[in-house]
Amino acid sequence: MWNLWQSGFVRSLIWDSALLPAAVTALIGVALYRRTHHHSRWRSTFWAAAMLAGFLGGYALIYRAFSFPPRTVLSWLPWLALVGGTAVAIVDRCGQKNGRSGARGLAAGASALILLWPILRQEALPAAFFAWLTVTVLWSLLWFALTPYNRDQKSAGAMLLVGAAGLALVAPLSGSILLVQLGAALAVVLAVALIFSILMGGSRWDSPTADVGVLILGALLVDLRFYAGASMAVMVWLLVLLAAGSGIAGILRHRGTSGRWAVIAPGLASFLPMVVAAWLALQAYWVNGGGY
């Protein structure tokens, strides 16, 4: 273990993907919580801001480039998170359910088009449209299922945390160390935000916070499937992971369950599909002879 820590590469992975994102998220989250404690209008956005700051700090160290206009698919990620998250947060503050649903659908469609464009432009129009529509519909449906209207979204955070951890597990078996690091960074900022928000009395996870997580995780899943080449079976189980958790969360809401169990149970329900996805990715890795 000490020999591993002596490795500069391992230390860099831990610092870039875990320690720095965790520290930034915690510091900004606590600072904004104190500043907004008596201003309820801003309580719905400060965890979103803390998560964005923590993830983008990790992204800057991992990817080591911010560019505009973005030159690669992964270089679009911070801009999609910033612009999409800000747009959905603004619509959310207007308080209209239909407006929020429309904003989420538009954000999912626009993000899918941007991320898939290098592939879509090489396909015939019907095939390109079908691929874009499939990704948009799946992204939108999961978004709606994970973040029901006017609810504390900590349960969505738990599911997104398991989803990001699952992505970080299967990505190296698909040959993408970058997605491992980015998935780990997202999992860390989600974990820190969840832990601190549970410990701080009266700290809600409103929609803008969960929306940021859905945007980032969705973009990473698109990259995992279309650019890292993860198998369809693995992707299906990663989607089942999120669907299973949202189903349990819906049952608990219907029964009026609240508190920490309402946060933990959906995450636990998501754990088994995550293990299945990791096992399928490992089998595919062995079949292909291992190695990257």
Side-chain angles (χ1 to χ4, degrees):
M1 182 64 70
W2 176 249
N3 289 336
L4 282 176
W5 180 250
Q6 291 284 75
S7 167
F9 176 69
V10 172
R11 289 202 306 271
S12 176
L13 286 178
I14 295 173
W15 172 253
D16 297 351
S17 304
L19 296 181
L20 180 104
V24 172
T25 303
L27 289 173
I28 292 182
V30 171
L32 290 179
Y33 175 79
R34 291 172 63 88
R35 294 296 298 269
T36 61
H37 187 63
H38 301 294
H39 303 280
S40 59
R41 291 182 58 198
W42 299 103
R43 287 185 186 175
S44 64
T45 57
F46 77 86
W47 281 119
M51 280 176 47
L52 263 177
F55 179 79
L56 293 179
Y59 174 92
L61 291 177
I62 294 165
Y63 199 64
R64 302 197 180 274
F66 280 97
S67 60
F68 192 85
R71 295 187 294 271
T72 65
V73 172
L74 277 178
S75 63
W76 275 102
L77 182 56
W79 304 108
L80 291 179
L82 283 168
V83 176
T86 301
V88 174
I90 290 172
V91 174
D92 182 75
R93 287 178 65 84
C94 297
Q96 294 191 5
K97 185 176 181 179
N98 291 336
R100 278 186 57 212
S101 299
R104 289 172 173 178
L106 286 173
S111 299
L113 181 62
I114 289 170
L115 294 172
L116 294 174
W117 181 247
I119 294 173
L120 297 181
R121 65 184 180 181
Q122 300 177 26
E123 300 289 339
L125 182 59
F129 177 76
F130 180 75
W132 168 81
L133 183 63
T134 300
V135 172
T136 299
V137 170
L138 287 174
W139 202 338
S140 300
L141 288 175
L142 283 171
W143 202 335
F144 300 149
L146 287 168
T147 56
Y149 184 64
N150 199 27
R151 299 278 186 177
D152 190 351
Q153 306 294 348
K154 291 189 183 73
S155 61
M159 291 176 267
L160 292 168
L161 167 58
V162 179
L167 182 142
L169 280 175
V170 304
L173 301 173
S174 300
S176 177
I177 297 300
L178 274 175
L179 287 180
V180 175
Q181 294 178 271
L182 293 172
L186 177 59
V188 165
V189 300
L190 285 164
V192 170
L194 270 175
I195 291 169
F196 274 80
S197 62
I198 290 172
L199 294 177
M200 294 174 178
S203 176
R204 283 175 56 89
W205 254 53
D206 287 330
S207 292
T209 305
D211 292 336
V212 168
V214 173
L215 268 171
I216 297 173
L217 181 60
L220 293 177
L221 288 174
V222 170
D223 288 339
L224 180 67
R225 168 59 183 157
F226 291 95
Y227 297 101
S231 71
M232 183 61 72
V234 169
M235 298 306 301
V236 166
W237 278 100
L238 288 176
L239 296 178
V240 168
L241 176 164
L242 298 171
S246 63
I248 296 299
I251 292 171
L252 293 176
R253 282 195 303 271
H254 181 72
R255 293 182 175 179
T257 304
S258 59
R260 294 181 182 179
W261 179 245
V263 179
I264 295 171
L268 292 176
S270 301
F271 186 76
L272 180 58
M274 181 194 75
V275 173
V276 175
W279 173 247
L280 290 174
L282 184 60
Q283 284 187 315
Y285 177 77
W286 285 337
V287 168
N288 292 329
Y292 295 160

